């Protein structure tokens, strides 16, 4: 059944503009949905709102029945990024999941917009090769199982020359036709860069791949210092919180070359791909959060959490944000976050974000126990007994093994 009214996730780029026009020419009603996830806060500066507004106007000019621009920055940070931060979520050890975290939000907003406009389908411009199609569609299924999701570029892949030809023939304005060297996706949690010369993994990422970070080797030798305050797991710097805090950290850490990542990663659909990222703000926050955890959490909590954190990152990457397991892990992290209050001082220097100091009213570190100086209160005399009991299974096993070896030796005749 052909959908009557479709909500299209619309970036304003060539592909989604062509899709929009194709739907309209096929007689369908389209509501274009564009999100502000903060990606242009950094690049375009003050003009970013105008740029997003232009995207809206472009959709209307192409014949969309309506075009909505949703400022989703705070919702993205509070509902997605900070949950991932509580889990120190990094895919394959290094990628803060910036694109991956935004897709379930896009799915939720597609569903909400579809309800608002009485649409019977939602559509996106993802190809059949990537992770994002999986994330958006699993998200839509979780929130609205009755909704149809259309993925036209999966059914009919659109080459760039074909897209340009279609646009020119059908009056779709093309902003800059200059060959785009990379495919880029960005939001406050990070910027991903793929394709072009990066497809050969032997090629070092050219400097023009990066927009938010300077090269670590050319970053100022003095670096910058920031003190991040934490209140029950929520970070702030001098009163800045949420989206504004992350944008500010992107600026400061980016100016020091922090957060460049070059990863051969394993996609959900099974292939390996080479992805380059710059995630100055999120990398800094995760490093600071880990430092606070090391001070505040007990040994067993840290050990268990390390495994759960890895699982959390895999769930987000693998399009399972909507799974009950993710919610259960959030509950675990929320319980621990009751004690995640304190301050972490971070040095941002030539590509690294290094904690240089940490304090918390819940810190388990006790200087009088740890000191090698005066005022040591540790029970040195108790350590001998501890070792005897702690090592008992090993000692007992070793004694049995040597007795058994002796018994097996050939007896003199
Ligand atoms: N490989 C990353 C991920 O799966 C980045 C994807 C970026 N998406 C895009 N449409 N360019 O999370």
């Amino acid at each position: 059944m052909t959908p009557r009214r479709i909500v299209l996730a619309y970036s304003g780029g060539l592909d989604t503009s062509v899709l929009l026009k194709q739907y309209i020419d096929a007689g369908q009603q389209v509501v274009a949905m564009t999100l502000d996830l903060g990606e242009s806060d950094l690049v375009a500066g003050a003009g970013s709102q105008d740029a997003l507004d232009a995207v809206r106007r472009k959709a209307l000019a192409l014949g969309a029945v309506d075009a909505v621009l949703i400022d989703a920055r705070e919702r993205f940070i509070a509902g997605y990024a900070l949950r991932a931060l509580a889990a120190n979520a990094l895919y394959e050890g290094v990628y803060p999941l910036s694109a991956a975290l935004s897709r379930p939000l896009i799915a939720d907003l597609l569903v909400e917009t579809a309800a608002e406009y009485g649409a019977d389908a939602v559509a996106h411009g993802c190809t059949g090769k990537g992770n994002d199609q999986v994330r958006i569609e699993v998200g839509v299924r979780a929130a609205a199982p009755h909704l149809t999701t259309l993925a036209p570029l999966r059914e009919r892949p659109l080459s760039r020359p074909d897209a340009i030809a279609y646009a020119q023939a059908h009056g779709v304005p093309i902003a800059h036709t200059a060959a785009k060297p990379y495919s880029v996706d960005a939001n406050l949690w990070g910027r991903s860069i793929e394709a072009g010369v990066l497809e050969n993994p032997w090629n070092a990422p050219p400097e023009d791949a990066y927009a938010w970070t300077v090269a670590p080797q050319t970053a100022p030798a003095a670096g910058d210092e920031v003190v991040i305050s934490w209140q029950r797991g929520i970070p702030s710097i001098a009163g800045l919180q949420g989206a504004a805090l992350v944008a500010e950290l992107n600026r400061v850490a980016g100016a020091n070359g922090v957060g460049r990542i070059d990863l051969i990663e394993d996609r959900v659909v099974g292939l390996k791909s080479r992805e380059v990222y710059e995630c100055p703000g999120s990398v800094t926050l995760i490093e600071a959060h880990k430092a606070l955890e090391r001070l505040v959490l007990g040994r067993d909590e840290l050990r268990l959490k390390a495994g759960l954190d890895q699982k959390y990152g895999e769930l987000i990457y693998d399009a399972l944000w909507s799974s009950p397991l993710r919610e259960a892990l959030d509950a675990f992290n929320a319980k621990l976050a009751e004690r995640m209050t304190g301050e972490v001082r971070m040095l941002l220097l030539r590509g690294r974000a290094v904690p240089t100091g940490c304090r918390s009213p819940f810190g388990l570190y006790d200087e009088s126990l740890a000191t090698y100086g005066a005022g040591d209160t540790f029970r040195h005399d108790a350590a001998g007994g501890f070792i005897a009991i702690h090592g008992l299974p090993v000692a007992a096993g070793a004694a049995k093994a040597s007795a058994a070896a002796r018994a097996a030796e050939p007896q003199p005749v």
Side-chain angles (χ1 to χ4, degrees):
M1 199 184 66
T2 317
R4 197 179 46 82
R5 182 174 274 196
I6 301 163
V7 178
L8 169 68
Y10 182 64
S11 69
L14 179 61
D15 285 357
T16 51
S17 295
V18 167
L19 292 181
L20 176 62
K21 184 72 177 149
Q22 286 175 339
Y23 280 134
I24 288 163
D25 287 351
Q28 280 160 314
Q29 297 178 13
V30 183
V31 176
M33 183 192 87
T34 305
L35 301 189
D36 181 0
L37 291 170
E39 66 268 35
S40 50
D41 287 9
L42 210 69
V43 189
S48 67
Q49 209 48 43
D50 297 349
L52 285 164
D53 233 51
V55 171
R56 243 194 103 245
R57 287 196 304 272
K58 183 172 173 180
L60 291 172
L62 286 170
V65 290
D66 204 354
V68 284
L69 169 59
I70 302 171
D71 180 351
R73 288 174 295 180
E74 298 299 346
R75 182 164 165 184
F76 174 58
I77 294 301
Y80 300 78
L82 292 188
R83 286 189 169 134
L85 176 60
N88 303 310
L90 292 170
Y91 184 61
E92 300 196 320
V94 291
Y95 162 44
L97 295 149
S98 43
L101 282 165
S102 72
R103 268 48 186 187
L105 171 57
I106 294 174
D108 282 348
L109 288 168
L110 280 171
V111 168
E112 289 168 25
T113 307
E116 201 176 309
Y117 281 87
D120 44 0
V122 296
H124 61 74
C126 303
T127 66
K129 205 169 177 175
N131 300 318
D132 294 328
Q133 50 167 349
V134 191
R135 296 168 182 150
I136 290 178
E137 290 181 42
V138 172
V140 171
R141 278 165 180 247
H146 61 277
L147 262 187
T148 304
T149 306
L150 307 169
L153 293 188
R154 192 163 60 207
E155 269 89 67
R156 281 167 281 108
L158 191 65
S159 72
R160 199 164 167 82
D162 286 353
I164 291 173
Y166 184 94
Q168 280 165 346
H170 293 81
V172 177
I174 305 170
H176 308 289
T177 339
K180 278 197 308 178
Y182 309 105
S183 158
V184 170
D185 182 79
N187 59 54
L188 283 162
W189 213 236
R191 182 171 176 271
S192 74
I193 310 112
E194 57 191 0
V197 295
L198 301 172
E199 284 177 357
N200 177 345
W202 181 249
N203 290 339
E207 268 311 303
D208 74 353
Y210 298 106
W212 294 5
T213 54
V214 303
Q217 59 272 30
T218 62
D224 273 301
E225 206 172 73
V226 291
V227 175
I228 305 178
S229 301
W230 300 82
Q231 194 55 243
R232 293 179 150 247
I234 306 296
S236 65
I237 297 180
L240 270 190
Q241 275 206 7
L245 165 75
V246 181
E248 174 59 16
L249 271 178
N250 276 330
R251 264 186 286 274
V252 193
N256 287 286
V258 170
R260 289 189 173 189
I261 298 147
D262 182 357
L263 173 65
I264 306 280
E265 75 186 31
D266 289 278
R267 282 201 186 165
V268 184
V269 292
L271 58 94
K272 283 193 188 284
S273 72
R274 200 269 188 99
E275 309 274 331
V276 173
Y277 302 96
E278 46 187 349
C279 305
S282 53
V283 162
T284 303
L285 284 168
I286 291 169
E287 288 306 319
H289 184 256
K290 282 184 183 167
L292 186 60
E293 284 187 335
R294 288 190 285 269
L295 180 70
V296 166
L297 299 184
R299 176 174 57 187
D300 287 334
E301 288 171 319
L302 285 170
R303 289 178 181 174
L304 178 65
K305 191 168 186 296
L308 298 180
D309 286 354
Q310 184 181 333
K311 185 71 209 169
Y312 197 98
E314 289 165 2
L315 284 177
I316 295 174
Y317 190 89
D318 291 346
L320 296 173
W321 173 268
S322 307
S323 67
L325 177 54
R326 195 269 306 160
E327 283 183 39
L329 293 173
D330 279 344
F332 174 78
N333 292 332
K335 183 67 196 164
L336 300 187
E338 290 172 5
R339 286 174 283 146
M340 297 302 287
T341 293
E343 286 181 310
V344 183
R345 189 177 54 239
M346 298 295 292
L347 175 64
L348 308 169
L349 178 64
R350 297 217 153 150
R352 297 190 62 208
V354 193
T356 60
C358 200
R359 59 186 175 194
S360 164
F362 299 101
L364 297 176
Y365 179 88
D366 184 335
E367 202 167 340
S368 75
L369 285 173
T371 183
Y372 286 96
D376 182 4
T377 60
F378 187 80
R379 287 271 316 272
H380 291 251
D381 60 323
F386 167 73
I387 295 165
I389 307 283
H390 184 67
L392 189 65
V394 176
K400 292 280 180 193
S402 78
R406 253 180 285 118
E409 273 166 22
Q411 300 299 312
V413 270

